[in-house]
Amino acid sequence: MAKSTVSVIKADVGSIAGHTVVHPALEQAAIKVMDEAKEKGTLVDFWVTHCGDDLELIMSHTKGVDNSDVHAAAWKAFEKATETAKDLKLYGAGQDMLKDAFSGNVRGMGPGIAELEFTERGSEPLGVFMMDKTEPGAFNLPVFKIFADPFCTAGLVVDPKIHDGFVFEVWDIQDHKKVRLSCPEEMYDLLAMIGAKSRYVIKRVFPKKGVLPEDEAVAAVSTEKLALIAGEYVGKDDPVAIIRAQSGLPAMGEVLEGFSFPHLVSGWMRGSHNGPLMPVGIDDAICTRFDGPPRVAGLGFNIRNAELVGPIDFFDDKAFDHARQKALEIADYMRRHGPFEPHRLPLADMEYTTLPKVLKKLEPRFEEIK
Ligand code: 13P
Ligand code: 13P
Ligand code: MG
Ligand code: MG
């Protein structure tokens, strides 16, 4: 049987009354294009949703990653949704559509992409995780915990199928380099890099020799940097990830445990503040207070012959109430810092915002300190 592919491609093409939430008409516009792609046989199945102001296309097919027909369908969906957003005069209509002419792949054009191609197991549980008001490095901590931390994933200790650990592919998104590190052997080297989450980003996770093919990634994260594409601040690179689970992988409950701690991520208001990442159900994936706090939503599917069975809305569950409560306490605490670091991001990370322009005005007034 052909391998199955899940492609999650997302973009912010406009939202209601600020950077809050996608208008339902945009989802409808995208669904229409997705339906056409399914009829044409490009897609086997799809699910359209949102996390905050990001329109999320979850597509399943048998065409592999980086397929031009699949990418073209996503681009067209965003174009149609942009038209609707402009028509409704929504805020930030077409925000992430940084280039005009589509030429086979949406990479580097604004949207974020995570794709996995794999041989379907007897049962293929898979989670799609979507964040708003933050950057790709926000996935570093949960993905590390899921695949390398035995205090999160009990299976690393007690399940012989995952006891040997996993291999992490890390991208240096500034220097465009990548490296693979094996855990647990190289865990401290891995952490030395991925703790610097604005630069080093976990891109993929691979299994070691065992029950699953070693060359098929089991997790993938979008790593697009809008600021690097556009050369200036155009909104955050709100990331997505796909994570497979069970039978030779962390159990889905271990995957979700990775999101139970609302760690500090950069993004939030104007992409310029640190704040807690709050796990929420799709209905609560609305960014309000100070354009946040940053959110993560998750949908679970079973893949059956490249078809999406589901979804379940993972964080729409009482088990995450404490994580949310903690996130809200941290939000209050961080907000009290106002324009001070470490609530506001450090200068290096403010490079692509309007702050350099503000400081430039003062340049002529500076005197030497003798
Ligand atoms: P599997 O190895 O079948 O995924 O079982 C692990 C499990 O479900 C524990 O919760
Ligand atoms: P988005 O990246 O989600 O559009 O948010 C931009 C912003 O400036 C929020 O304050
Ligand atoms: Mg926006
Ligand atoms: Mg967004």
Side-chain angles (χ1 to χ4, degrees):
M1 207 188 83
K3 288 188 190 181
S4 302
T5 306
V6 174
S7 303
V8 183
I9 306 188
K10 47 82 44 183
D12 176 349
V13 294
S15 78
I16 312 169
H19 293 279
T20 53
V21 70
V22 172
H23 192 290
L26 272 52
E27 289 189 24
Q28 287 312 316
I31 287 170
K32 197 159 169 272
V33 177
M34 294 283 102
D35 261 329
E36 287 162 14
K38 191 172 162 179
E39 247 160 60
K40 263 173 51 186
T42 303
L43 301 179
V44 174
D45 207 352
F46 67 86
W47 187 265
V48 172
T49 186
H50 64 270
C51 181
D53 61 4
D54 292 285
L55 177 58
E56 315 273 357
L57 312 176
I58 301 168
M59 299 170 284
S60 59
H61 53 94
T62 54
K63 298 189 180 298
V65 303
D66 279 325
N67 178 269
S68 57
D69 293 337
V70 173
H71 280 231
W75 186 256
K76 188 173 171 195
F78 294 138
E79 278 182 336
K80 291 290 176 193
T82 298
E83 280 173 25
T84 308
K86 286 186 173 155
D87 190 43
L88 295 171
K89 282 182 75 177
L90 294 183
Y91 194 72
Q95 177 183 286
D96 291 354
M97 305 291 276
L98 302 180
K99 307 268 164 77
D100 305 322
F102 178 79
S103 57
N105 196 298
V106 296
R107 210 168 292 287
M109 300 190 73
I113 308 132
E115 296 185 289
L116 279 184
E117 184 186 25
F118 49 86
T119 310
E120 269 186 37
R121 295 166 292 169
S123 176
E124 187 59 59
L126 173 150
V128 174
F129 297 91
M130 302 157 279
M131 296 182 181
D132 190 28
K133 303 300 181 273
T134 186
E135 60 177 5
F139 272 109
N140 283 5
L141 188 147
V143 172
F144 171 81
K145 287 200 342 184
I146 292 161
F147 289 99
D149 179 4
F151 283 77
C152 173
T153 297
L156 292 168
V157 177
V158 304
D159 178 356
K161 295 195 293 298
I162 63 172
H163 191 72
D164 287 344
F166 291 90
V167 176
F168 291 75
E169 180 182 310
V170 177
W171 282 20
D172 174 342
I173 51 180
Q174 269 170 33
D175 275 1
H176 299 282
K177 287 183 182 151
K178 60 182 180 181
V179 62
R180 282 195 190 189
L181 291 169
S182 185
C183 276
E185 313 88 274
E186 299 178 293
M187 181 184 290
Y188 300 157
D189 295 324
L190 175 67
L191 286 168
M193 287 194 294
I194 63 171
K197 58 186 171 42
S198 62
R199 174 157 183 181
Y200 297 103
V201 181
I202 298 172
K203 176 68 183 175
R204 291 187 186 89
V205 180
F206 290 91
K208 289 188 180 168
K209 200 171 170 53
V211 290
L212 294 170
E214 278 165 274
D215 58 344
E216 292 181 6
V218 294
V221 181
S222 67
T223 47
E224 280 62 38
K225 270 301 249 190
L226 291 187
L228 298 181
I229 299 168
E232 62 177 30
Y233 180 66
V234 287
K236 267 281 164 188
D237 327 291
D238 306 320
V240 287
I242 310 172
I243 303 178
R244 296 165 62 202
Q246 303 289 155
S247 323
L249 294 171
M252 192 55 88
E254 291 167 334
V255 172
L256 300 179
E257 179 69 10
F259 294 93
S260 61
F261 167 59
H263 67 299
L264 289 174
V265 298
S266 78
W268 208 348
M269 175 55 73
R270 297 170 186 271
S272 306
H273 295 82
N274 284 308
L277 184 72
M278 185 160 77
V280 290
I282 298 289
D283 284 349
D284 291 314
I286 303 174
C287 289
T288 53
R289 183 182 179 191
F290 202 54
D291 282 0
R295 317 243 164 165
V296 57
L299 292 182
F301 299 91
N302 263 102
I303 312 302
R304 187 196 56 179
N305 304 334
E307 199 183 303
L308 300 169
V309 179
I312 171 181
D313 189 348
F314 282 137
F315 301 129
D316 178 20
D317 180 70
K318 283 190 172 355
F320 287 91
D321 281 354
H322 282 181
R324 289 189 272 269
Q325 193 54 43
K326 177 66 77 187
L328 296 178
E329 283 163 25
I330 297 167
D332 277 337
Y333 175 82
M334 295 302 284
R335 280 303 300 126
R336 292 278 298 273
H337 293 77
F340 285 80
E341 299 174 10
H343 182 28
R344 202 198 68 190
L345 298 187
L347 276 185
D349 292 338
M350 301 290 290
E351 205 181 327
Y352 287 107
T353 68
T354 45
L355 191 68
K357 288 173 194 153
V358 173
L359 295 178
K360 200 165 173 50
K361 197 182 67 182
L362 292 177
E363 242 170 42
R365 289 172 50 192
F366 271 95
E367 299 170 32
E368 291 296 327
I369 301 173
K370 300 232 169 61

